[in-house]
Each structure stands twice: as C-alpha cells, then as structure tokens.
Amino acid sequence: MSPQKTPLFPSRLPKVGTTIFTVMSALAAEHHAINLGQGFPDFPCDRKLIEEVNAAMLADRNQYPPMIGITELRNGISKKIERIYNHHYDPDAEITVTAGGTQGILTAILACVSPGDEVIIIEPAYDSYRPSIELAGGKTVAISLEVVRDESGQVASYEIPWDNLKKAINSNTRLIIINTPHNPTGMIWSKADLDQLADLVRDTSALILSDEVYEHMVYDGAKHHSVASHPELAARSFLISSFGKTYHVTGWKVGYVAAPPALTKEFRKVHQFNVFTVNTPMQYGLACYLSNAEHYLNLPAFYQAKRDFFKAGLDKTKFKLLPTPGTYFQCVDYSALDIPQAKFNEADFCKWLTTEIGVAAIPVSAFYEQSTESGVIRFCFAKQEQTLSQALQRLQTL
Ligand code: GLN
C-alpha cells in the first residue's frame, strides 16, 4: 500500500453507483447468460458503413473536424429531419454532432439548467437524466407514468400522467425531459400528446428535451411524432438522436442534437469544453451512409420482424407481454409465473434469471429513483434470431 494519502472530497453524485446496464452485462458475461439486458444489437452493422469509415481514414481524414461536426453530416441530418418531420433545421446554426445521445443529454442540461432550476422527468426514466440534472445543480422533479393494470392486477400499459405533469410545471421549471419511443416501456407519444404538452408549456418559460434515440423503431404502421414535427414545441426543444441506435453501431458513440439557434448557441458553449468534437472518420462514414434514406426507412420492418418473433415465443410462456409500439425493448410482467421467484423484486428476479436460467434482463425498477416494484422487466430484442431462439428456449422452461 502506498503511504501517500488521497484527500477525501464530497461526492458530486453520492447516490449513484454503476449503471444497471453495465452491472447486468457484467453479470451476464460472468454466467455465460444470453444478454437481453443492456440495449445493443448482437448483429453486425452494414459493411458499407464500415467501408465508408475506412475510406475516410485512408483518405487521411483523421484530424479534428469542426467543433460542431462536419458540414456533410450536419447537412445530411438536416435533410433527413426535413424529409420525415417536415421541419427545417439550419445545419450551421441548429445542428451539432455529439458523442452519442447521452453526451447530448448531459450537455443540453448543463447548458440550460442553473442551480435551483427544476427539471421534470417522467419515470420510469433513462438513468442518465437524474445525475445529469444533479451535476448541473438542478432539482429533479420526478412524476411517474400511470401504470394501467388488467383485471388480474398485471401491468397492461403505461400512460402519460397529464394531471401530475400540469401540477409539476411552475415558474421554476427550466426543462421537461420527454422520451419517445420510450425506454424502457416502448410506449410512443401521439400527435395529440405533443399538442397537449404544447398547451401545458405555452405560457411558461419551460424548455423541452426530447430524447428520440429510438425514433426509427415504431411498429404496426405507427408513426413517430417528433418534437421537430411540432413547430411550437420545436421552438423550445432540444431534439436528441443517436446513430448508434439507428445503424447498429452503439459502440461508435455518435449522435446529434437539433435545437433552435438560441439553444444551440448555449449548447455549443458547453459542448466545446465537454468533448470539443466527435471523431472525424465516423462522421464522414455516417454522412455517406445517411444520404441513402432506405437505411433508416427499412428499420421499422427489420425490427418489427424481430419483435414479432420474440413475442410469438414469449406467448408460449406465462409472462404477460406489454404492448411494444416502439423501441427494441419488450417489457413483460412476471408476477403470474408459477414459480416462487415470481414473488422476487425486479432486481432479484433479473439476477436470478441471469444466473439460474441464463437470460439477462433489466429490472424496470432501475428506471425509478424511489423503489417502485411492478413485477415488470425489460428484454432487448435487437438480437439475431438464433440468440432470441436460444433465450426463448430457456424462458419457455419457466
Ligand atoms: N440505452 C441503453 C439501454 O437502455 C444502454 C446505454 C448504456 O448502457 N449506457 O439499454
């Protein structure tokens, strides 16, 4: 042991441990379980995308790109958003390339939340929101999605808690974070939901952060309703998206934030000292790849087939399936399984499922600050059919 002492200091995030996604992936690896926990594809991305990145590297595009992202990529993002959401973001003044969605979220929060400001989140909520607000010195005001139960008491669906949201908004509300398609529940916001949100914030100074990283994963013919498609909301929103999710390259950590000029100006002040910029060759590769709209327009059909395959297998179990209109997550209620473990809390159930049955999942309770047990866990179906089959074989023994 070194005789030198490291000075003690107060933690900036005293309540935060290691994120559940890392914990469950490590447990899955240790027990050789099939990892349907952390959300990432187990299949390769398109070779063409890799070739484009390689070509950029070989063409010596390896120095710092512009702080806000390369022009080609910002132009491509702007075109894509205009094409599908009918809103023009100026690529120079309104679009910034980020090191993934999570950095975009943290940077947006640091850019607009001052100590004492209130930020509303709707739980279950992605686990980076709350610590990001705390780092900015903001106060998290958490409300919960309404849990709708069926006659037998099992969770049937989730709904936006409009009354509570209305009550939570006041003159200290700096930001409201929404997430559609929603991780972990898979629910999606409708056009009417966006209208209702616009009604609630119209006479306030609240900004919106809309986490839309699963924007291209909506099923059964449904449409994703982006804040970009709603001019009134777009004027006060940071829109967050992720190429990792869309192009099956979660490890590349490239995403973007689109926001009106006044928001983008402040965003970039933080971004430049947060990551400065995002790696060059990936940006060139993504810019080429993005120019072919089919690469994202095909995604709903691609993932719907996986969702349906996984659902059909789960239908043979006693898990109760929740609706999955969007995302690559399938939530299930395990409370009616005919085994003693059905009484476990969600975290213990997931641990047991990983170590004893060999399938890792994520407890939905991890998306709440205060322990909230609904008997619901989340599986990721962004996997090869073979992986899903193997997992289903194991789950069907329950
Ligand atoms: N968003 C992914 C999920 O919900 C995980 C991201 C991460 O591990 N940081 O599983």
Side-chain angles (χ1 to χ4, degrees):
M1 280 291 270
S2 151
Q4 314 301 337
K5 270 202 182 143
T6 302
L8 295 175
F9 63 98
S11 169
R12 296 294 318 281
L13 296 171
K15 285 192 254 159
V16 170
T18 304
T19 157
I20 185 72
F21 308 110
T22 300
V23 170
M24 292 312 298
S25 282
L27 194 69
E30 187 188 335
H31 292 270
H32 306 288
I34 298 167
N35 190 357
L36 304 189
Q38 189 179 26
F40 64 90
D42 76 338
F43 42 85
C45 69
D46 190 339
R47 295 294 99 175
K48 269 190 251 143
L49 178 53
I50 294 180
E51 281 160 20
E52 300 289 4
V53 173
N54 281 344
M57 280 191 186
L58 291 168
D60 284 324
R61 291 177 146 162
N62 299 304
Q63 305 307 327
Y64 293 130
M67 182 268 279
I68 62 178
I70 64 165
T71 307
E72 293 84 340
L73 185 54
R74 284 180 292 103
N75 285 345
I77 294 166
S78 172
K79 276 202 195 107
K80 181 197 94 163
I81 295 177
E82 190 156 3
R83 175 183 175 145
I84 54 181
Y85 305 129
N86 199 25
H87 179 84
H88 179 73
Y89 284 100
D90 176 346
D92 294 330
E94 301 186 291
I95 292 174
T96 311
V97 178
T98 60
T102 303
Q103 184 242 316
I105 292 165
L106 172 65
T107 303
I109 291 171
L110 290 175
C112 70
V113 175
S114 298
D117 283 352
E118 294 186 6
V119 181
I120 299 174
I121 65 170
I122 308 176
E123 290 181 329
Y126 183 55
D127 70 348
S128 88
Y129 301 163
R130 192 183 276 270
S132 302
I133 298 162
E134 268 175 50
L135 286 174
K139 179 176 170 229
T140 305
V141 176
I143 57 173
S144 298
L145 285 178
E146 272 157 30
V147 180
V148 181
R149 293 178 185 274
D150 63 14
E151 330 64 67
S152 65
Q154 294 190 90
V155 177
S157 63
Y158 295 87
E159 281 176 12
I160 302 164
W162 290 111
D163 287 347
N164 289 341
L165 181 55
K166 189 174 178 186
K167 279 187 219 142
I169 300 172
N170 63 47
S171 57
N172 295 323
T173 307
R174 174 67 58 219
L175 186 68
I176 302 171
I177 303 183
I178 66 168
N179 172 212
T180 179
H182 182 249
N183 180 11
T185 68
M187 68 165 285
I188 57 177
W189 284 51
S190 66
K191 162 84 170 65
D193 293 329
L194 292 183
D195 287 341
Q196 201 152 338
L197 178 64
D199 284 347
L200 291 188
V201 297
R202 185 160 303 127
D203 300 320
T204 76
S205 52
L207 303 172
I208 309 287
L209 185 155
S210 187
D211 174 354
E212 301 182 16
V213 299
Y214 302 101
E215 64 179 321
H216 299 296
M217 295 162 207
V218 283
Y219 311 122
D220 307 313
K223 210 176 137 188
H224 168 61
H225 294 279
S226 170
V227 286
S229 64
H230 196 289
E232 192 184 347
L233 288 178
R236 58 169 79 216
S237 297
F238 293 99
L239 162 61
I240 313 277
S241 192
S242 153
F243 290 113
K245 304 283 188 294
T246 303
Y247 295 137
H248 321 310
V249 287
T250 58
W252 288 10
K253 300 299 300 170
V254 188
Y256 59 88
V257 174
L263 297 189
T264 295
K265 187 170 164 234
E266 293 303 316
F267 181 92
R268 289 174 179 173
K269 286 186 192 174
V270 181
H271 176 78
Q272 66 186 336
F273 298 123
N274 183 189
V275 289
F276 177 50
T277 188
V278 175
N279 70 83
T280 310
M282 259 67 169
Q283 289 196 52
Y284 279 102
L286 286 164
C288 287
Y289 201 70
L290 181 61
S291 62
N292 183 345
E294 271 178 30
H295 294 146
Y296 55 85
L297 294 177
N298 287 341
L299 222 53
F302 173 78
Y303 272 121
Q304 185 169 329
K306 293 194 181 295
R307 182 202 64 170
D308 291 347
F309 178 80
F310 190 50
K311 268 182 132 159
L314 285 177
D315 277 339
K316 298 186 186 137
T317 70
K318 290 209 172 74
F319 284 114
K320 155 133 196 206
L321 278 70
L322 274 66
T324 304
T327 73
Y328 50 41
F329 302 118
Q330 172 68 57
C331 284
V332 299
D333 185 321
Y334 60 86
S335 60
L337 290 182
D338 215 2
I339 47 172
Q341 292 79 8
K343 300 271 174 285
F344 282 5
N345 70 31
E346 293 169 17
D348 288 343
F349 186 83
C350 286
K351 271 185 213 140
W352 171 78
L353 198 65
T354 307
T355 58
E356 304 305 318
I357 307 301
V359 181
I362 299 288
V364 167
S365 55
F367 293 73
Y368 291 88
E369 164 86 348
Q370 306 284 342
S371 140
T372 303
E373 294 293 333
S374 313
V376 178
I377 58 171
R378 187 198 83 176
F379 291 116
C380 172
F381 58 78
K383 307 291 169 190
Q384 301 172 56
E385 206 166 291
Q386 195 195 356
T387 311
L388 294 175
S389 288
Q390 279 175 359
L392 286 166
Q393 272 171 24
R394 296 177 186 188
L395 295 172
Q396 283 161 0
T397 64
L398 293 174

